[in-house]
């Protein structure tokens, strides 16, 4: 069992999508007939995992899957259940992930009324041909229109997802996508390079040599273009894949990276109580049966002290928060700076990292090889 004495984030996983994107290995189903039953199950889990006195919540995040698939009434049920069983801060950040094809004027207004105050819109690219290759359910026009609708409904805190290193894409296409995106002037962007995962359509195509995918060199060049264009446009590259203007950082995700406790609701959702991690089963039908009998079973992932130390190193170095030497010593009783004195000096000299107020932070060059840097700083697992 996890002990959630203090919560800061609440994540609700909506495990349904209209169709499967060819690159995606998240937990979702396209069998929408069990959507209403799932909403009841999620409401039940919210109640089962609540405590007395109520836990305080600073951020709520509806992720997926595709949360924008929820009917207005279903979203209202979930929001009301959260407010009944949790102590939601009046200034809470409440994010909903949305796909452009689900957005119209009425939908955007109903989200606003339900208490959503931040939207994360999955655009990926503005090129219709590539959207088809990705098997996305929307068009470029719908993406542009969706931003208009949500702005007209009064949303300012908007994030968009874009992808690079896409099949059949080129630097010209990426620059075109970025130009369109910069014109939209959104406060937050999440920009990911495509990675080919096993058990996805792209994974199969790759094994069967059915399509050429960008090389590591393409990936690196594209990532550099993204970084440079965004910096020129006053975005802060505050996490490996995240960019914010005027400090509009994602409070929910920042809380993950700072290792604050959070509760994950729904099939496959992860939770963290400040010490240990756990997750729900990634199977909609088994999850629903568990909710029917009122038994929310969490699969605990016990972490050794060394694993916790390495996780701290990894999550901190991927963000602008940086690896805090003093905090590391307080938490783990190890002087990491001293343990890795030579290596830290070397990466700072090579322009891969820098020191700021007793914290080690990576530069963009460091982000490019962050896995290698982290691996060198990790403590051996016995
Ligand atoms: S909409 Fe999102 S979660 Fe659903 S298949 Fe596509 S990328 Fe995956």
């Amino acid at each position: 069992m996890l002990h959630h004495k203090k919560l800061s984030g609440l994540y609700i996983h909506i495990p349904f999508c209209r169709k499967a994107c060819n690159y995606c290995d998240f937990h979702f189903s396209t069998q929408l007939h069990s959507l209403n039953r799932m909403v009841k199950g999620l409401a039940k889990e919210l109640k089962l995992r609540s405590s007395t006195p109520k836990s305080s919540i600073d951020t709520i995040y509806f992720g997926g899957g595709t949360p924008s698939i929820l009917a207005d009434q279903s979203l209202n049920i979930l929001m009301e259940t959260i407010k009944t069983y949790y102590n939601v801060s009046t200034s809470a950040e409440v994010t909903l992930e949305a796909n452009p094809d689900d957005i119209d004027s009425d939908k955007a207004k109903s989200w606003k009324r339900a208490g959503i105050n931040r939207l994360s819109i999955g655009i990926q690219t503005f090129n219709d041909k590539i959207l088809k290759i990705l098997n996305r359910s929307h068009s470029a026009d719908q993406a542009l229109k969706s931003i208009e609708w949500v702005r007209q409904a009064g949303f300012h805190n908007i994030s968009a997802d874009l992808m690079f290193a896409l099949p059949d894409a080129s630097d010209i296409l990426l620059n075109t996508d970025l130009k369109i995106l910069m014109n939209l002037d959104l406060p937050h962007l999440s920009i990911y390079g495509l990675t080919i995962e096993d058990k996805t359509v792209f994974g199969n195509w790759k094994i069967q040599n059915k399509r050429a995918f960008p090389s590591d060199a393409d990936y690196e060049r594209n990532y550099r273009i993204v970084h440079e264009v965004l910096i020129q446009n006053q975005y802060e590259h505050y996490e490996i894949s995240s960019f914010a203007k005027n400090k509009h950082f994602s409070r929910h995700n920042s809380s993950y990276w700072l290792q604050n406790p959070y509760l994950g609701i729904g099939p496959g959702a992860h939770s963290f109580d400040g010490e240990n991690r756990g997750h729900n089963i990634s199977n909609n039908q088994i999850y629903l049966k568990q909710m029917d009998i009122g038994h929310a079973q969490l699969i605990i992932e016990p972490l050794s002290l060394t694993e916790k130390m390495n996780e701290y190193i990894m999550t901190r170095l991927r963000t602008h928060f940086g690896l805090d030497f003093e905090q590391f010593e307080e938490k783990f009783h190890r002087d990491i700076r001293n343990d890795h004195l030579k290596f830290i000096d070397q990466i700072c000299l090579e322009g891969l990292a820098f020191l700021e107020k007793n914290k080690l932070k990576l530069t963009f060059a460091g982000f490019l090889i962050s896995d290698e840097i982290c691996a060198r700083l990790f403590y051996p697992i016995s």
Side-chain angles (χ1 to χ4, degrees):
M1 195 176 153
L2 298 187
H3 299 280
H4 278 108
K5 286 173 235 119
K6 188 186 174 301
L7 278 176
S8 69
L10 183 59
Y11 173 83
I12 296 120
H13 190 72
I14 308 298
F16 296 99
C17 294
R18 298 200 186 279
K19 58 195 233 185
C21 300
N22 283 340
Y23 54 89
C24 179
D25 72 342
F26 290 165
H27 172 64
F28 67 92
S29 160
T30 50
Q31 308 291 312
L32 302 188
H33 55 81
S34 45
L35 191 48
N36 287 340
R37 199 173 152 218
M38 182 59 71
V39 171
K40 284 189 191 136
L42 295 171
K44 194 155 182 183
E45 194 191 354
L46 279 164
K47 184 177 170 186
L48 286 169
R49 295 211 192 277
S50 64
S51 55
T52 319
K54 294 178 186 175
S55 308
S56 297
I57 302 286
D58 290 328
T59 64
I60 302 172
Y61 196 102
F62 290 91
T66 311
S68 53
I69 228 167
L70 288 172
D72 297 350
Q73 202 196 355
S74 301
L75 182 62
N76 288 333
I77 290 172
L78 294 173
M79 286 297 288
E80 285 311 312
T81 311
I82 294 169
K83 284 189 223 151
T84 305
Y85 295 103
Y86 298 83
N87 192 6
V88 181
S89 139
T90 47
S91 59
E93 176 191 271
V94 188
T95 306
L96 181 119
E97 284 181 353
N99 275 347
D101 48 316
D102 287 326
I103 303 176
D104 60 22
S105 174
D106 288 346
K107 199 76 191 164
K109 285 179 194 155
S110 80
W111 289 336
K112 195 86 191 156
R113 281 194 300 271
I116 305 296
N117 56 29
R118 183 173 183 273
L119 289 172
S120 171
I121 302 179
I123 290 176
Q124 319 311 354
T125 169
F126 293 99
N127 184 291
D128 280 330
K129 192 175 137 235
I130 295 182
L131 283 169
K132 281 211 175 77
I133 297 173
L134 299 176
N135 203 34
R136 295 286 300 175
S137 55
H138 69 270
S139 66
D141 268 357
Q142 279 175 310
L144 290 168
K145 198 72 199 152
S146 71
I147 303 282
E148 259 181 68
W149 291 131
V150 301
R151 280 189 158 147
Q152 279 171 21
F155 283 98
H156 306 291
N157 203 352
I158 306 166
S159 179
D161 286 356
L162 195 85
M163 295 175 84
F164 63 86
L166 295 171
D168 274 14
S170 61
D171 293 1
I172 296 174
L173 186 136
L174 176 62
N175 276 306
T176 307
D177 273 352
L178 290 172
K179 197 167 172 198
I180 299 170
L181 202 56
M182 293 307 101
N183 282 335
L184 291 173
D185 193 25
L186 299 173
H188 189 276
L189 299 169
S190 296
I191 308 194
Y192 303 91
L194 174 73
T195 49
I196 310 293
E197 307 293 345
D198 295 342
K199 295 185 189 149
T200 61
V201 172
F202 280 177
N204 287 335
W205 287 356
K206 192 168 182 182
I207 292 170
Q208 293 165 19
N209 264 328
K210 271 196 176 169
R211 178 178 280 281
F213 290 99
S215 64
D216 289 350
D218 294 330
Y219 188 104
E220 184 178 324
R221 200 183 57 256
N222 277 196
Y223 188 30
R224 197 177 289 281
I225 292 173
V226 167
H227 170 80
E228 280 166 8
V229 170
L230 270 80
I231 294 299
Q232 279 161 20
N233 284 274
Q234 287 77 51
Y235 283 90
E236 187 177 336
H237 193 169
Y238 76 101
E239 187 267 343
I240 283 186
S241 308
S242 310
F243 302 81
K245 241 183 196 181
N246 304 321
K247 312 279 175 210
H248 278 94
F249 310 122
S250 161
R251 278 167 52 194
H252 186 81
N253 289 344
S254 297
S255 186
Y256 288 155
W257 300 319
L258 287 167
Q259 295 178 306
N260 294 329
Y262 57 88
L263 179 62
I265 299 290
H270 286 248
S271 298
F272 178 56
D273 68 359
E275 283 298 320
N276 292 298
R277 297 192 179 282
H279 66 269
N280 287 344
I281 189 142
S282 296
N283 179 304
N284 289 2
Q285 292 315 314
I286 300 177
Y287 171 82
L288 287 172
K289 277 186 193 142
Q290 288 179 354
M291 290 310 123
D292 284 346
I293 57 167
H295 178 62
Q297 195 193 353
L298 206 62
I299 301 155
I300 306 284
E301 305 155 21
L303 289 178
S304 68
L305 181 67
T306 314
E307 283 169 327
K308 284 179 192 168
M309 289 159 80
N310 292 346
E311 199 177 89
Y312 180 96
I313 295 168
M314 196 176 68
T315 48
R316 288 310 189 94
L317 283 183
R318 64 177 295 144
T319 68
H320 67 159
F321 301 117
L323 195 168
D324 185 327
F325 298 131
E326 261 173 44
Q327 194 182 44
F328 193 88
E329 195 162 356
E330 263 168 42
K331 272 172 156 301
F332 306 114
H333 311 293
R334 286 299 291 251
D335 182 350
I336 185 167
R337 189 170 188 182
N338 206 36
D339 287 343
H340 293 285
L341 204 55
K342 254 186 159 175
F343 180 65
I344 289 173
D345 280 352
Q346 182 198 328
I347 54 176
C348 288
L349 266 173
E350 288 174 3
L352 299 168
F354 61 100
L355 295 171
E356 191 183 87
K357 293 187 188 149
N358 217 19
K359 289 181 185 139
L360 179 70
K361 299 184 178 183
L362 296 189
T363 61
F364 176 67
F367 277 168
L368 281 170
I369 55 160
S370 62
D371 287 348
E372 286 165 52
I373 294 174
C374 288
R376 287 287 301 274
L377 292 170
F378 283 167
Y379 289 85
I381 296 182
S382 47

